[in-house]
Amino acid sequence: MTSNYSYCFATVLCCALLVLNLTMGAQVEQQPLVLKYHNGELLKGRITVNLVWYGSFTPIQRSIIVDFINSLSSSPRAPLPSVATWWKTTENYKGGYSALVVGKQILHPNYPLGKYLKGTHLLSLASTFNDLSAINVILTGNDVAVDGFCRSRCGTHGSTRPVNGKARTAYVWVGNSEVQCPGQCAWPFHQPIYGPQTPPLVAPNGDVGVDGMIVNLATVLAGTVTNPFNNGYFQGPATAPLEAVSACTGVFGSGAYPGYPGRVLVENTTGASYNANGVNGRRYLLPAMWDPQTSACKTQV
């Protein structure tokens, strides 16, 4: 197993300091943010996303996440700004579009591997599907502990090693942090455990844990298609890279600075914050993504 990227919201404020200088300007001229292309394979074209639901998820929680994935390449498109227009930035990376579609789903509500998962468990769950062209996504419930969860990561993406001539397969893991560490992995829908204590935003789907999962899932899916095997687009060391979205950590709208996610849209009746419309009337708050055409973190609003 190779691990490409672990996304930790505990460092959101530190990362946002860098992004602040790059996106808002600073007293000293900054070098452009550049994610170097390392000439490796990217995931392009139509890609199936298989889902493993490990632990307790309600039907509504599952529908929020499924609708998000379907929104990435929805047709007809949702009203602007949309999840699909956010995802379209990945087309600016070499190779063109990546159209993600939900494939098979497996539910594990009875914890067959227990309530504490190690990396080998995640790999085992990701290997459930015999689909080498898919991205296999493991989603863990709010009562499931995962090695490194909350302490060093909120989600990760990686790949299996090639065996007997078979191609590597990409996989993703994201956990629900509502109970264990919302201040680390569900910001800005919960006050952070570090840094400025600004009021949290109202989650667009009314679920702090799942709306936080959407932010992390968006981050690792973008990293998966643009740097699936440690030799795509990234900045820094391959073992701890800044990728398409992690390079823009903490930025959700224009004017973002440490502790402030930026100007976003607000729903009049509920006060919920969002910056992207999805299918079935869903709304989501998505992080900024680095755009190779401008060498800058791109926001929707």
Side-chain angles (χ1 to χ4, degrees), residues 42 69 125 139 143 182 212 248 295:
L42 309 182
I69 297 172
L125 291 169
L139 302 163
D143 59 347
C248 306
S295 294

Side-chain angles (χ1 to χ4, degrees), residues 34-203:
V34 176
L35 303 189
K36 181 181 177 181
Y37 178 49
H38 295 78
N39 300 314
E41 179 183 354
L42 309 182
L43 301 185
K44 297 295 181 177
R46 188 180 187 276
I47 303 169
T48 299
V49 178
N50 298 317
L51 302 175
V52 178
W53 304 91
Y54 192 91
S56 178
F57 289 92
T58 68
I60 292 177
Q61 289 176 322
R62 294 199 303 270
S63 69
I64 292 170
I65 293 176
V66 168
D67 283 347
F68 166 68
I69 297 172
N70 284 331
S71 297
L72 292 170
S73 52
S74 61
S75 181
R77 297 185 184 275
L80 298 178
S82 69
V83 175
T85 56
W86 175 84
W87 185 252
K88 191 175 176 63
T89 300
T90 63
E91 294 184 15
N92 296 337
Y93 293 73
K94 291 183 183 295
Y97 77 101
S98 303
L100 305 189
V101 294
V102 174
K104 299 176 183 177
Q105 300 185 53
I106 294 178
L107 276 62
H108 287 303
N110 298 320
Y111 318 98
L113 300 178
K115 289 191 175 183
Y116 177 76
L117 302 181
K118 298 180 180 180
T120 53
H121 294 134
L122 296 179
L123 183 59
S124 176
L125 291 169
S127 301
T128 301
F129 306 99
N130 187 24
D131 187 348
L132 299 179
S133 62
I135 298 173
N136 297 326
V137 177
I138 304 102
L139 302 163
T140 51
N142 60 18
D143 59 347
V144 177
V146 177
D147 189 30
F149 188 31
C150 297
R151 296 191 307 275
S152 62
R153 58 182 182 173
C154 302
T156 191
H157 76 81
S159 64
T160 59
R161 294 188 184 277
V163 177
N164 297 327
K166 292 184 178 181
R168 290 175 290 185
T169 302
Y171 72 91
V172 161
W173 160 73
V174 172
N176 186 329
S177 67
E178 180 183 16
V179 174
Q180 301 179 57
C181 56
Q184 290 168 281
C185 296
W187 186 86
F189 308 121
H190 190 282
Q191 285 187 289
I193 60 172
Y194 307 115
Q197 297 297 298
T198 54
L201 303 182
V202 177

Side-chain angles (χ1 to χ4, degrees), residues 187-188 198-199 201 250-264 275 285 299:
W187 186 86
T198 54
L201 303 182
V251 177
F252 293 84
S254 58
Y257 56 81
Y260 173 59
R263 290 183 288 274
V264 297
N275 60 11
L285 187 69
T299 61

